[in-house]
Amino acid sequence: MSSPLAKISALFPDLAPWRSSSDFRLLWIQGLVTYFSSAMAMIALPLQIKELTGSPLAVGAMGAVELVPLVVFGLYGGALADAVDRRKVILATEAGLGVLALILLVNALLPEPTLWPLYVVAAGAAALAGLQRPALDSLLARIVPHEQQTAAAALNSLRWQMGSIAGPALAGLVVAYAGHAPAYGVTIAGFAVSALLCRRLSPAPAAHDAEKPSLRGIAEGARYAWSRPVLLGTYAIDLAAMFFAFPNTIFPFLADELDADWSLGLMYAAGSVGSLVLGLTSGWTSKVRRHGLLVVGGAAGWGLAIAAAGWFGNVWLVLLCLAFAGAGDMLSGLGRATIWNQTIPEELRGRLAGIEVLSYSVGPQLGQVRAGVMAGWTGTRSAVWTGGVACVASVGLLCLALPKLLTYDSETDEDSLRRKAQQEAGRESDGRESDGRDPDGRTTAGTV
C-alpha cells in the first residue's frame, strides 16, 4: 500500500520528458523566455494604439489585422514544417519577430510615433507566429517518446500558464513606470536569447522524399484529418467549446453588472490560475490511456463552469467558476495534444499542426463575436450562461456523432500503435539511446 506522501507526490507534474530529452528542455526554456518577453509587446502595443488614437475601435482593429495572416500562414507553415528542417523555420521566425520588435522600438523613440507601423507589425507578428507554431508543435512528437506525450503537454501548458500570469503583470509594471520603448527593448532581448537557445536544438530535417509546400499538400493533410473520426472530434469539440463559451470580450460588462469594476483583471486571470493549479497537479494524467475522455470531460467541464459563471450574481463565485473553467480547458487541451502527437504520422505532422492553429485561434475569435452579439440581444449574464449550456449540449451531440473519440485508447488504437512503431523505428535507425543522445554523446533529433 502506497503512503500518503507517495499519493501526494504522484499528483506533481511528470518530469520524464524533461529528463529524457535535452531538446525538450531547450524548447521549454526557450518558450518561457519568449512568453515573458513577448508579453512586453503584447501589453505595450495596444496601450500605444490607445494613447495615439483614444479609440476602442482602433485597439480592437488589431484582432482584425491579425486573424487573416494567422490563418493563411498557419496553414502554409504546416506544409513548410513537413518540407524543411523545422529548426531552421523556428530560428528564422524568431529572428523575424526580433526585427519586428526593433521596428516598434524605433517607432517608439521617434519624437512623434506613428500609428500605421503598429498595425503592420501586428499583422507581421501574426504571420510569423502562424509559420512558427506548426514547426514547434510538430517537433514535440519527434523529440519526446510516445508514452511521455501527455506529460510533455502538461509541462508545456504549465510553462504557458506561468508566462501568461506573470508575464503580463511584469509587462504592465514596465510599461507603466518605464514606457513603451524599454518594453520593446526587453522584447528584442528576449528574442535574441530565444534564438540562441534554438540554435542549440538538434537538426530536424524533413523526410528525404518530402514534397515542397503546396496547396495539394495542405489538402492532403485536411483529407487525412477528415478521415480520422478521433482527430475530427478533437478539432470539432475545441471549436464548439470556444465558439459557444468564450466570453472574455464581455468581461468588462459582466464586472459592471456585478457592481465590481475592481474584479475585471481577476476575471481575465482566473482561467489561467485554474489551468496553473491543474498543471501543478497533473501527474495523474500521465497514466491515462483514454485521452478522448479528457477532451470530452474537460470541454464539458469548461461549459458547465462558464454557465455557472453567468448564472451566479456573487463576484467571488463567478471568479471561482472561471478558475474551474480554466482547469477544464487545460484538461481538454492535454487530451487533444496527446492524441495529436500519438496518432498523426511524422510526414503529416506539420500540416496537421497547421490545422490545429485554426482550431485554437479561430474558435476564440468567433466566440468573442458571438458573446458580444448575444450580450447586445439578451444581456451580459444571459449571453454567458446560455453559451455555457450550448457548449455542453454541442459536446454531447459531437460525442454521439463521433463515438470513436470516447473509446480512443492509446494502447489499442491503430493509429497510435502505428505512430509509436514509426517513432521507435526512427530512433533505432538513428542509433540513439533512451536519453535522446547518440552513442558518441551528441544530442540528436529524431528523424523518421
Side-chain angles (χ1 to χ4, degrees), residues 345-359:
E346 172 64 20
E347 64 273 12
L348 290 172
R349 188 67 193 89
R351 279 165 282 181
L352 271 293
I355 294 175
E356 290 153 21
V357 170
L358 301 186
S359 171

Side-chain angles (χ1 to χ4, degrees), residues 4-14 277-287:
L5 184 60
K7 291 180 179 179
I8 294 174
S9 62
L11 293 174
F12 295 155
D14 185 353
V277 171
L278 183 68
L280 291 172
T281 57
S282 62
W284 62 274
T285 60
S286 296
K287 300 178 177 63

Side-chain angles (χ1 to χ4, degrees), residues 123-345:
L128 288 174
L131 286 174
Q132 184 187 81
R133 188 63 185 262
L136 280 171
D137 288 352
S138 58
L139 194 59
L140 188 65
R142 175 179 285 197
I143 64 176
V144 175
H146 184 274
E147 65 278 3
Q148 295 177 10
Q149 290 298 329
T150 304
L155 290 174
N156 279 343
S157 294
L158 186 60
R159 174 194 63 186
W160 187 87
Q161 297 303 335
M162 291 166 59
S164 66
I165 293 172
L170 179 61
L173 292 175
V174 172
V175 173
Y177 291 101
H180 301 102
Y184 296 141
V186 173
T187 301
I188 295 169
F191 281 123
V193 172
S194 177
L196 290 174
L197 290 170
C198 289
R199 281 182 58 84
R200 297 183 59 192
L201 289 171
S202 306
H208 68 279
D209 56 350
E211 298 181 2
K212 293 182 178 180
S214 65
L215 291 175
R216 186 165 65 92
I218 294 172
E220 181 186 358
R223 284 194 298 271
Y224 178 86
W226 185 262
S227 69
R228 296 299 193 273
V230 174
L231 284 179
L232 196 59
T234 63
Y235 301 140
I237 283 182
D238 187 38
L239 281 170
M242 293 297 102
F243 176 74
F244 288 114
F246 193 79
N248 291 31
T249 193
I250 57 175
F251 279 169
F253 303 95
L254 181 60
D256 284 345
E257 285 203 14
L258 297 173
D259 196 23
D261 293 343
W262 54 267
S263 68
L264 180 58
L266 295 178
M267 287 184 182
Y268 283 113
S272 294
V273 171
S275 296
L276 179 63
V277 171
L278 183 68
L280 291 172
T281 57
S282 62
W284 62 274
T285 60
S286 296
K287 300 178 177 63
V288 173
R289 294 167 40 186
R290 303 279 296 278
H291 301 103
L293 292 178
L294 295 184
V295 175
V296 172
W302 159 270
L304 284 173
I306 292 296
W311 185 262
F312 288 125
N314 181 286
V315 65
W316 292 108
L317 289 177
V318 170
L319 292 172
L320 182 63
C321 290
L322 293 176
F324 275 111
D329 184 45
M330 181 173 177
L331 188 64
S332 183
L334 293 182
R336 292 195 306 272
T338 303
I339 290 174
W340 295 339
N341 288 330
Q342 284 187 343
T343 63
I344 298 171

Side-chain angles (χ1 to χ4, degrees), residues 43 52 58-59 67 73 80 84 105 114 130 161 198 222-224 245 255 265 335 352 364 371 405 422 431 444:
I43 297 297
L52 291 174
V59 177
L67 181 58
F73 285 90
L80 188 67
V84 301
L105 175 60
T114 54
Q161 297 303 335
C198 289
R223 284 194 298 271
Y224 178 86
L352 271 293
L405 179 61
Q422 186 184 43
T444 59

